[in-house]
Amino acid sequence: MQKLTPADFTEVSERALATGASARTSARKAAKLSAAERSALDKRVRDAFVPMHEQLEADPSADLHDAIMDTMTAALGVVQRTKLSEEQYETLIRPFLAVGADVPIWGSDPV
């Protein structure tokens, strides 16, 4: 994720919107975590953005909040991929695949 550029995150956000809120919401609900697990994942995602903060904030086409939320959605899919259908998983990670992000395959064991 840290190899992605502000333009990549803009494209991710556009592709996420194109996927549709209904499909993404349904997939996120299927990937539900406990409050503690969700909090830990949120911290990991936000911490990963610390080195990219200035770069994203400096690019007027990028939105830091959207980048974090889109990444959180994909991360949720990744950590819950064994509990999701292939379609649900792809709904959550597809925007990142489009920009060449390295994403685990569906059904593989989370590490």
Side-chain angles (χ1 to χ4, degrees):
M1 179 204 74
Q2 292 180 344
K3 295 177 183 177
L4 299 181
T5 66
D8 290 333
F9 282 109
T10 299
E11 184 173 344
V12 164
S13 289
E14 289 169 1
R15 288 180 180 268
L17 286 173
T19 299
S22 177
R24 289 173 56 84
T25 298
S26 176
R28 278 194 303 266
K29 285 181 181 178
K32 186 174 178 159
L33 294 172
S34 71
E37 292 168 323
R38 174 90 180 186
S39 179
L41 182 61
D42 185 67
K43 179 174 178 6
R44 285 179 57 196
V45 168
R46 289 179 186 281
D47 287 352
F49 272 92
V50 170
M52 299 182 298
H53 245 209
E54 288 182 25
Q55 182 184 15
L56 284 165
E57 295 250 330
D59 189 319
S61 69
D63 184 297
L64 178 61
H65 178 264
D66 286 351
I68 291 170
M69 292 300 103
D70 291 332
T71 302
M72 184 64 184
T73 295
L76 181 61
V78 168
V79 300
Q80 292 290 82
R81 67 185 173 273
T82 60
K83 297 179 181 176
L84 300 174
S85 71
E86 188 171 6
E87 181 181 348
Q88 290 168 325
Y89 179 63
E90 288 188 14
T91 296
L92 297 177
I93 56 99
R94 188 177 306 125
F96 283 88
L97 290 175
V99 297
D102 185 23
V103 181
I105 60 170
W106 171 78
S108 62
D109 274 336
V111 176

